[in-house]
Amino acid sequence: MRIKTISRSVDEFTRERSQDLQRVFHNFDPSLRPMEKAVEYQRALTAAKLEKIFARPFVGAMDGHRDGISCMAKNPNYLKGIFSASMDGDIRLWDIATSRRTVCQFPGHLGAVRGLTVSTDGNVLVSCGTDCNVRLWSVPRPSLEDSDLSSEKSTEVVHSICGLYLQECVILSFTSRAVDHQFEGDLFATAGAQLDIWNHNRSQPVQSFTSGSHSVISVRFNPGEPDILATSSGDNHISIYDIRMSSAARKILMRTKTNSIAWNPMEPMNFTAANEDGNCYSFDGRKNEEAKCVHKDHVSAVMDIDFSPTGREFVTGSYDRSVRIFPYNGGHSREIYHTKRMQRVFCVKYSSDATYVISGSDDTNLRLWKAKASEQLGVILPREQKKHEYNEAVKNRYKHLPEIKRIVRHRHLPKPIYKAKAESRAMNDAKRRKDDRRKAHSAPGTVVTESHRTRRIIKEVE
Amino acid sequence: MGGLKRKSSSSAKALAKSKKKKGPHLPNSILKVIANQKRPLNSDEEDDDDVIGSDDEHGGDLYEYEEGVPEEESRKNNRYDRHENYDYELPEDFEDENVESEDDDDGGNTDNDEAEGDDDDDDDRHTRMLQSLTGMPSAAFEGESKSKPVLFTEAYPEGEFNPTRDVLEGKNVLTEEDFLAPLEGTPGYQKTSKQIARMRKDTKHVVHAPLPKPQRERLERKAVIGLVDEEFSKWVHLVKKNREAPTVYFNQDVDLGYSTVGAIASEFQPRTEFEKKMASVLNDSEVSEAHRDDGARLLELNEVSMEDHIKDHNHIAKMRSLLFRHEFKSKRIKKIKSKTYHRLKNKDLKNSSLGALMDPEMAKEEAMRQEAKRVEERMTLKHRNTGKWAKRMISRGLNVKYDGPKAAIAEQLQMNANLSRKMNSMRDGSSSDESDDEEEFNDGSDEDTPSRLIAKAKEKTLKALEDDEVPNAGLMSLPFMARAMKKKNEEANEEAKRALEEYEEWENSGGENSKKSVTVSGRRVFGATAKVEAPKESRKDSDNFYDDSDSDNDMARIEDNNIEPVRDNASPARNTITETEFDDDVAGNPASKTTFDVAMFASGSWKKMTGSKNTESKKASKKTRAPIPQAQDKKGPRDEESGDSESEAEQMVDGVLTSTSKETFEVPSQAELINRAFAGDDVLDEFEKDKEEVLNQEVPKPEKPVLVPGWGDWTNIQKKRGISKQMVQKHDAEKKEWEQGLKTRKDARLKHVIISEKVDKKAEKLHTTTLPFPFTSKEVFEHSMRMPIGPEFNPSTIVGELNRPEVVKKTGVIIKPVKFEEVNPNDEVDDEHPRNHQKQRPKKKTSRRQGKVKSK
């Protein structure tokens, strides 16, 4: 007769250290666990609820400017530093990590500063504004001592006025609206009545592009392809330039003005344009006759847009006093951030580690938000991390089911936005109804409804 | 083409044309007159487009107008219809420009006279028209027109800074001929005119006018677009790969801070004096230099003085001896296996530490003494039959044969037990003790152990008798306690004596008794009875062993005599069974054969209906059944002998079998069989009932309105009104609804089917109403949801991969934009992640079109 015995090898059950976890053996036979699906669904539900409970996106506000913040720039080489400029010509460097206070100021502009950018090595700050000046500043080098100092004297104002930081000032014949620096190069572009490409070391532009009678509103270099940049102008054009060439490559004429443009840092051919009509349009730089994706949710003009360095989502700031985060291929936003005191948002930035979002608004404050509202900050143990991942995965898996979908999608909206949304929805519905009727009562093929992706694009200029 | 663009381009073109165009060589004054005549006075109000139109028609080419275009085709009336012009005239214009210059060369002068004639004609027509309109003689108008002076439309006199309109519009530009005319007749004239003529003919070196700006820009843009698109297209594979990857990793190779000991150590700064000393030696340039060289100099540096050496040596020797002693001691202590010892030692250690608080020296001494005593006791193992003599006795079996050695060995064991008990008594269980005993028995003789056991029991009782000494201190020394103890002791003694007597009795009857006791075991042994005898003794031995280990006094149980009759009864019964079985085999075989034949014969009709297999099985069953009754006959008389229960059982079996064997082979039909098989249950009816029930549950029948007594009437006198109309109406409506509900059911017409249409609300929440976006088929979606992903349901090796998020990044590390790398488009995304299989990868096309789908 054979006797089956339970045997356990000592090696398998002996821990190497007392901190090690006791090894647990499972029998993964599915017939032993008939309720696994129900269990996971319940977990997904719990995870969705927990996410809501822990959603605390607002990290802090940075106060100091005396006028509405017009533009911001992140230091590509230093995570903690962010520059902001306001309508009264004040430029400040903030420490967003520890103290959330001004590190130093760069006085000099007489009018509103409209454009701000930092070179890739983080040494040179370029600003331009309505006083027809383009100024180059040398950025104070961050050091460990500085951060220690500021954390110690938290009550005292420890920032310095850095008149010494001005490197160069070029006076133009027109006001410039935007400036952007090439990625890993020493060129930068200013946009105004014309588009100028500058070198750090020259006082004259290396190259200039003129187009039409309207001024250029925004300019953004492609991070993946450093020689390509995109501009938007007041005559509703979006243009792509190659600075090695003498003229624009592509021009798209839209029905409304584009306020800002952001290139996808992971997909150099794709960019997204923040439009005056409250939508964002994602384009493929090679095919511009239709947008690849229309991102709708804002109820007023989108003022600024910035891509996450992961290329998977972007943040927008709108005139409707809200900040939204969109997936790069999704039609609706994943997240909306708003506070009672936040006014029109003029500029937004995604932090270089894709963890935070910074918004600058008319109420003279910079606000720091978490990119993922319920994310746990600080050091996370591996087991915690695993748990978070599991929760996320389970939630993601059952996100289509009604109960979970409802919880995950729900966002509280400020009243004006809620009302405006309802109104616009009603209008759209009415329009669609009318279109449908018109279509139904006319000969087939005569009434063609244009898709959302082409509706707002007039044409691509040849 | 937008109107705006076209406008500017055409105006630019006109400008270019005007620059180039050269008319016939008329004197300026004539041209001016012509121009003024042709141009109406309100020409100022014409907008740019019209100017262009007029340009095209008769601008600079007076002769052309007359040459080709008939009046009705001149489109004078269509002047304001711009669009017609736009569509097709543009290309013609371009050609005109090139062709024109040649025209000028060839026929410039020849057409001169004709142009003048035309002019006259025009005048004639004009006067004729006026005449017809006014009815006045033509002379009146002729005079007017002829005598009419040159009309100045400019506000300022013509000059360098106020060019005439003609000049501005490019109609009347100076040409080379104009310049050459005054030179005619001068010596170099021929040469220059020839040169000019040559230049005109030389088409190769003609520098064409630059293209109009919009056109030029368009061409440039086209070129740039090609380049930029190429730049973008090279990224496609990389982007595609990233998009299709289940997880994108960022900054996995970035290290955050120090990771190695070396890196940390390199930052070390000596601070204390010792550290500084060490650092000074370590960083000594001499030493490091020696290291860097062949190392020979290191020997020199290593030189040590004699004194130092001796000192060192002594020190080391001392330390070694200390170490050795310590090791030796610890080894010895470690050898001791007794748990009790260690426990006591630990206790002592604790105590000593306690005592040490009071008087450390004394406590230490005490501990040492105790330890020594215990170790001696335990270590010698003097009394465990390990001596030479004891071994010899045991090996030869002398300890069994003779009483002397037997007693001696027993005594030794007793002593050992005593010694060891001291410690064993502290233990919770007595497992080791038992095992010791067992060992002894195993060591000792195999045979005749019961006698030994008896001896041991005797010994113990004797000892108990001897041992009862009254303690002379403590609680037990109190008089009443002592009395009680004494009483108890007496009783115990009496009992012990009785036991002793019993032991003696058993010892005397030893051999036979033990052999009889063999049959105690209730196990049955099938087979020859003779063989049963052999293992008896050994089995008995083992039985005894077990019993002994339980307790010494339980010997009596083994010797229980009343087992004997059982054995007596059992053994004959067993014999009979074996016998009958044997008989069956012998007698049954032929019988079974006969029945087999019968079955074959009988089941002839069966064969037709069922397959051969069926018949075979039938045969087999018959075969097993038939022989038994035959055997029963033979067995009959012997039944009384065998056990009652057995015989009964067999009889019962026989009864059944006999009845079956007598069956008549009337073969029923299939339907009949089924009817017979399911005689009890009416399935159809039951099903109908079931269906009704289900229907009632899912579409409940409306209740009939009933008149509740007391409701609806006030008094007896009042006329009974019955159920109110409203209620009846309501009921009717409900009934109609119910009927409708029944009709619309899916199983309304299917008589034998119940299709439940109940919606489970709890299950509802686990279903999606529509297929979620990236999925195109239901099966794929369900498949993707099939496997759980939790750590409870999956081995830990794949849980991480199943749960991995789409983006893995490190917080606090800057993510750089994508860098170009060559990606082979034919490479599949690595299949290491099992989620790949579950998750339907959206096609590239759909991923691009996501916006549309989501924004509905």
Side-chain angles (χ1 to χ4, degrees), chain A residues 175-196:
Chain A
T175 66
S176 46
R177 288 288 304 273
V179 63
D180 195 40
H181 201 283
Q182 194 181 20
F183 185 77
E184 285 186 344
D186 54 356
L187 297 179
F188 63 91
T190 60
Q194 64 184 29
L195 178 67
D196 289 329

PDB file of all heavy atoms in Angstrom, chain A residues 175-196:
ATOM      1  N   THR A 175       6.464  94.241 -30.494  1.00  0.00           N
ATOM      2  CA  THR A 175       6.321  93.428 -29.293  1.00  0.00           C
ATOM      3  C   THR A 175       6.282  91.964 -29.695  1.00  0.00           C
ATOM      4  O   THR A 175       5.776  91.619 -30.761  1.00  0.00           O
ATOM      5  CB  THR A 175       4.998  93.748 -28.578  1.00  0.00           C
ATOM      6  OG1 THR A 175       3.944  93.330 -29.438  1.00  0.00           O
ATOM      7  CG2 THR A 175       4.881  95.208 -28.286  1.00  0.00           C
ATOM      8  N   SER A 176       6.851  91.151 -28.851  1.00  0.00           N
ATOM      9  CA  SER A 176       6.815  89.731 -29.176  1.00  0.00           C
ATOM     10  C   SER A 176       5.886  89.024 -28.204  1.00  0.00           C
ATOM     11  O   SER A 176       5.814  89.361 -27.022  1.00  0.00           O
ATOM     12  CB  SER A 176       8.215  89.137 -29.132  1.00  0.00           C
ATOM     13  OG  SER A 176       8.872  89.560 -27.978  1.00  0.00           O
ATOM     14  N   ARG A 177       5.190  88.062 -28.700  1.00  0.00           N
ATOM     15  CA  ARG A 177       4.160  87.397 -27.920  1.00  0.00           C
ATOM     16  C   ARG A 177       4.645  86.095 -27.306  1.00  0.00           C
ATOM     17  O   ARG A 177       4.072  85.610 -26.334  1.00  0.00           O
ATOM     18  CB  ARG A 177       2.958  87.092 -28.808  1.00  0.00           C
ATOM     19  CG  ARG A 177       2.157  88.283 -29.204  1.00  0.00           C
ATOM     20  CD  ARG A 177       1.357  88.814 -28.021  1.00  0.00           C
ATOM     21  NE  ARG A 177       0.503  87.801 -27.446  1.00  0.00           N
ATOM     22  CZ  ARG A 177      -0.724  87.551 -27.876  1.00  0.00           C
ATOM     23  NH1 ARG A 177      -1.229  88.230 -28.852  1.00  0.00           N
ATOM     24  NH2 ARG A 177      -1.450  86.627 -27.292  1.00  0.00           N
ATOM     25  N   ALA A 178       5.627  85.483 -27.896  1.00  0.00           N
ATOM     26  CA  ALA A 178       6.026  84.168 -27.397  1.00  0.00           C
ATOM     27  C   ALA A 178       7.491  83.927 -27.695  1.00  0.00           C
ATOM     28  O   ALA A 178       8.064  84.529 -28.609  1.00  0.00           O
ATOM     29  CB  ALA A 178       5.189  83.079 -28.046  1.00  0.00           C
ATOM     30  N   VAL A 179       8.070  83.059 -26.913  1.00  0.00           N
ATOM     31  CA  VAL A 179       9.450  82.678 -27.138  1.00  0.00           C
ATOM     32  C   VAL A 179       9.599  81.209 -26.754  1.00  0.00           C
ATOM     33  O   VAL A 179       8.926  80.728 -25.845  1.00  0.00           O
ATOM     34  CB  VAL A 179      10.406  83.585 -26.336  1.00  0.00           C
ATOM     35  CG1 VAL A 179      10.185  83.440 -24.850  1.00  0.00           C
ATOM     36  CG2 VAL A 179      11.859  83.300 -26.667  1.00  0.00           C
ATOM     37  N   ASP A 180      10.425  80.518 -27.481  1.00  0.00           N
ATOM     38  CA  ASP A 180      10.669  79.127 -27.110  1.00  0.00           C
ATOM     39  C   ASP A 180      12.088  78.744 -27.484  1.00  0.00           C
ATOM     40  O   ASP A 180      12.640  79.248 -28.467  1.00  0.00           O
ATOM     41  CB  ASP A 180       9.675  78.189 -27.787  1.00  0.00           C
ATOM     42  CG  ASP A 180       9.693  76.820 -27.138  1.00  0.00           C
ATOM     43  OD1 ASP A 180       9.790  76.770 -25.899  1.00  0.00           O
ATOM     44  OD2 ASP A 180       9.620  75.808 -27.851  1.00  0.00           O
ATOM     45  N   HIS A 181      12.638  77.855 -26.692  1.00  0.00           N
ATOM     46  CA  HIS A 181      14.018  77.473 -26.899  1.00  0.00           C
ATOM     47  C   HIS A 181      14.093  76.116 -27.556  1.00  0.00           C
ATOM     48  O   HIS A 181      13.289  75.228 -27.264  1.00  0.00           O
ATOM     49  CB  HIS A 181      14.756  77.461 -25.563  1.00  0.00           C
ATOM     50  CG  HIS A 181      16.244  77.571 -25.712  1.00  0.00           C
ATOM     51  ND1 HIS A 181      17.033  76.524 -26.095  1.00  0.00           N
ATOM     52  CD2 HIS A 181      17.068  78.622 -25.555  1.00  0.00           C
ATOM     53  CE1 HIS A 181      18.282  76.924 -26.164  1.00  0.00           C
ATOM     54  NE2 HIS A 181      18.343  78.200 -25.830  1.00  0.00           N
ATOM     55  N   GLN A 182      15.087  75.989 -28.404  1.00  0.00           N
ATOM     56  CA  GLN A 182      15.310  74.715 -29.074  1.00  0.00           C
ATOM     57  C   GLN A 182      15.751  73.683 -28.048  1.00  0.00           C
ATOM     58  O   GLN A 182      16.425  74.016 -27.074  1.00  0.00           O
ATOM     59  CB  GLN A 182      16.410  74.911 -30.100  1.00  0.00           C
ATOM     60  CG  GLN A 182      16.562  73.814 -31.098  1.00  0.00           C
ATOM     61  CD  GLN A 182      17.692  74.107 -32.053  1.00  0.00           C
ATOM     62  OE1 GLN A 182      18.564  74.910 -31.746  1.00  0.00           O
ATOM     63  NE2 GLN A 182      17.674  73.473 -33.202  1.00  0.00           N
ATOM     64  N   PHE A 183      15.381  72.429 -28.288  1.00  0.00           N
ATOM     65  CA  PHE A 183      15.839  71.389 -27.380  1.00  0.00           C
ATOM     66  C   PHE A 183      17.259  70.975 -27.747  1.00  0.00           C
ATOM     67  O   PHE A 183      17.527  70.578 -28.879  1.00  0.00           O
ATOM     68  CB  PHE A 183      14.912  70.176 -27.438  1.00  0.00           C
ATOM     69  CG  PHE A 183      15.276  69.138 -26.422  1.00  0.00           C
ATOM     70  CD1 PHE A 183      14.943  69.318 -25.092  1.00  0.00           C
ATOM     71  CD2 PHE A 183      15.991  68.012 -26.782  1.00  0.00           C
ATOM     72  CE1 PHE A 183      15.294  68.392 -24.150  1.00  0.00           C
ATOM     73  CE2 PHE A 183      16.347  67.075 -25.835  1.00  0.00           C
ATOM     74  CZ  PHE A 183      15.996  67.269 -24.526  1.00  0.00           C
ATOM     75  N   GLU A 184      18.136  71.097 -26.796  1.00  0.00           N
ATOM     76  CA  GLU A 184      19.549  70.747 -26.968  1.00  0.00           C
ATOM     77  C   GLU A 184      20.165  71.452 -28.173  1.00  0.00           C
ATOM     78  O   GLU A 184      20.723  70.839 -29.073  1.00  0.00           O
ATOM     79  CB  GLU A 184      19.703  69.224 -27.064  1.00  0.00           C
ATOM     80  CG  GLU A 184      19.527  68.605 -25.694  1.00  0.00           C
ATOM     81  CD  GLU A 184      19.813  67.128 -25.686  1.00  0.00           C
ATOM     82  OE1 GLU A 184      19.859  66.529 -26.763  1.00  0.00           O
ATOM     83  OE2 GLU A 184      19.991  66.594 -24.575  1.00  0.00           O
ATOM     84  N   GLY A 185      20.045  72.744 -28.160  1.00  0.00           N
ATOM     85  CA  GLY A 185      20.687  73.562 -29.171  1.00  0.00           C
ATOM     86  C   GLY A 185      20.850  74.939 -28.571  1.00  0.00           C
ATOM     87  O   GLY A 185      20.471  75.162 -27.419  1.00  0.00           O
ATOM     88  N   ASP A 186      21.413  75.861 -29.316  1.00  0.00           N
ATOM     89  CA  ASP A 186      21.507  77.192 -28.734  1.00  0.00           C
ATOM     90  C   ASP A 186      20.699  78.203 -29.534  1.00  0.00           C
ATOM     91  O   ASP A 186      21.031  79.364 -29.602  1.00  0.00           O
ATOM     92  CB  ASP A 186      22.975  77.619 -28.600  1.00  0.00           C
ATOM     93  CG  ASP A 186      23.704  77.498 -29.909  1.00  0.00           C
ATOM     94  OD1 ASP A 186      23.075  77.022 -30.869  1.00  0.00           O
ATOM     95  OD2 ASP A 186      24.884  77.880 -29.985  1.00  0.00           O
ATOM     96  N   LEU A 187      19.650  77.721 -30.136  1.00  0.00           N
ATOM     97  CA  LEU A 187      18.762  78.625 -30.847  1.00  0.00           C
ATOM     98  C   LEU A 187      17.478  78.798 -30.055  1.00  0.00           C
ATOM     99  O   LEU A 187      17.048  77.897 -29.343  1.00  0.00           O
ATOM    100  CB  LEU A 187      18.421  78.056 -32.228  1.00  0.00           C
ATOM    101  CG  LEU A 187      19.567  77.862 -33.217  1.00  0.00           C
ATOM    102  CD1 LEU A 187      19.027  77.280 -34.499  1.00  0.00           C
ATOM    103  CD2 LEU A 187      20.268  79.175 -33.486  1.00  0.00           C
ATOM    104  N   PHE A 188      16.931  79.978 -30.190  1.00  0.00           N
ATOM    105  CA  PHE A 188      15.579  80.144 -29.682  1.00  0.00           C
ATOM    106  C   PHE A 188      14.809  81.022 -30.632  1.00  0.00           C
ATOM    107  O   PHE A 188      15.378  81.742 -31.450  1.00  0.00           O
ATOM    108  CB  PHE A 188      15.576  80.697 -28.259  1.00  0.00           C
ATOM    109  CG  PHE A 188      16.168  82.070 -28.106  1.00  0.00           C
ATOM    110  CD1 PHE A 188      15.371  83.194 -28.204  1.00  0.00           C
ATOM    111  CD2 PHE A 188      17.509  82.233 -27.850  1.00  0.00           C
ATOM    112  CE1 PHE A 188      15.903  84.454 -28.052  1.00  0.00           C
ATOM    113  CE2 PHE A 188      18.054  83.495 -27.709  1.00  0.00           C
ATOM    114  CZ  PHE A 188      17.250  84.616 -27.814  1.00  0.00           C
ATOM    115  N   ALA A 189      13.506  80.929 -30.531  1.00  0.00           N
ATOM    116  CA  ALA A 189      12.652  81.640 -31.476  1.00  0.00           C
ATOM    117  C   ALA A 189      11.754  82.598 -30.723  1.00  0.00           C
ATOM    118  O   ALA A 189      11.222  82.267 -29.671  1.00  0.00           O
ATOM    119  CB  ALA A 189      11.802  80.639 -32.253  1.00  0.00           C
ATOM    120  N   THR A 190      11.648  83.813 -31.250  1.00  0.00           N
ATOM    121  CA  THR A 190      10.675  84.743 -30.708  1.00  0.00           C
ATOM    122  C   THR A 190       9.602  84.955 -31.759  1.00  0.00           C
ATOM    123  O   THR A 190       9.877  84.958 -32.955  1.00  0.00           O
ATOM    124  CB  THR A 190      11.304  86.091 -30.361  1.00  0.00           C
ATOM    125  OG1 THR A 190      11.859  86.639 -31.556  1.00  0.00           O
ATOM    126  CG2 THR A 190      12.362  85.947 -29.316  1.00  0.00           C
ATOM    127  N   ALA A 191       8.401  85.159 -31.275  1.00  0.00           N
ATOM    128  CA  ALA A 191       7.298  85.335 -32.207  1.00  0.00           C
ATOM    129  C   ALA A 191       6.610  86.648 -31.922  1.00  0.00           C
ATOM    130  O   ALA A 191       6.329  86.983 -30.775  1.00  0.00           O
ATOM    131  CB  ALA A 191       6.309  84.192 -32.062  1.00  0.00           C
ATOM    132  N   GLY A 192       6.373  87.386 -32.958  1.00  0.00           N
ATOM    133  CA  GLY A 192       5.665  88.653 -32.845  1.00  0.00           C
ATOM    134  C   GLY A 192       5.103  88.969 -34.202  1.00  0.00           C
ATOM    135  O   GLY A 192       4.406  88.153 -34.787  1.00  0.00           O
ATOM    136  N   ALA A 193       5.453  90.150 -34.714  1.00  0.00           N
ATOM    137  CA  ALA A 193       5.044  90.473 -36.067  1.00  0.00           C
ATOM    138  C   ALA A 193       5.696  89.518 -37.051  1.00  0.00           C
ATOM    139  O   ALA A 193       5.169  89.223 -38.105  1.00  0.00           O
ATOM    140  CB  ALA A 193       5.430  91.901 -36.394  1.00  0.00           C
ATOM    141  N   GLN A 194       6.841  89.052 -36.679  1.00  0.00           N
ATOM    142  CA  GLN A 194       7.486  88.026 -37.489  1.00  0.00           C
ATOM    143  C   GLN A 194       8.132  86.996 -36.577  1.00  0.00           C
ATOM    144  O   GLN A 194       8.271  87.214 -35.375  1.00  0.00           O
ATOM    145  CB  GLN A 194       8.532  88.656 -38.401  1.00  0.00           C
ATOM    146  CG  GLN A 194       9.672  89.305 -37.645  1.00  0.00           C
ATOM    147  CD  GLN A 194      10.631  89.989 -38.589  1.00  0.00           C
ATOM    148  OE1 GLN A 194      10.220  90.426 -39.651  1.00  0.00           O
ATOM    149  NE2 GLN A 194      11.879  90.082 -38.207  1.00  0.00           N
ATOM    150  N   LEU A 195       8.505  85.910 -37.175  1.00  0.00           N
ATOM    151  CA  LEU A 195       9.135  84.851 -36.398  1.00  0.00           C
ATOM    152  C   LEU A 195      10.642  84.967 -36.571  1.00  0.00           C
ATOM    153  O   LEU A 195      11.146  84.915 -37.697  1.00  0.00           O
ATOM    154  CB  LEU A 195       8.640  83.493 -36.904  1.00  0.00           C
ATOM    155  CG  LEU A 195       9.219  82.269 -36.250  1.00  0.00           C
ATOM    156  CD1 LEU A 195       8.767  82.176 -34.807  1.00  0.00           C
ATOM    157  CD2 LEU A 195       8.794  81.029 -36.997  1.00  0.00           C
ATOM    158  N   ASP A 196      11.349  85.166 -35.467  1.00  0.00           N
ATOM    159  CA  ASP A 196      12.801  85.318 -35.532  1.00  0.00           C
ATOM    160  C   ASP A 196      13.471  84.144 -34.839  1.00  0.00           C
ATOM    161  O   ASP A 196      13.033  83.713 -33.774  1.00  0.00           O
ATOM    162  CB  ASP A 196      13.235  86.595 -34.829  1.00  0.00           C
ATOM    163  CG  ASP A 196      12.831  87.819 -35.614  1.00  0.00           C
ATOM    164  OD1 ASP A 196      12.782  87.724 -36.851  1.00  0.00           O
ATOM    165  OD2 ASP A 196      12.533  88.854 -34.981  1.00  0.00           O
TER     166      ASP A 196
END
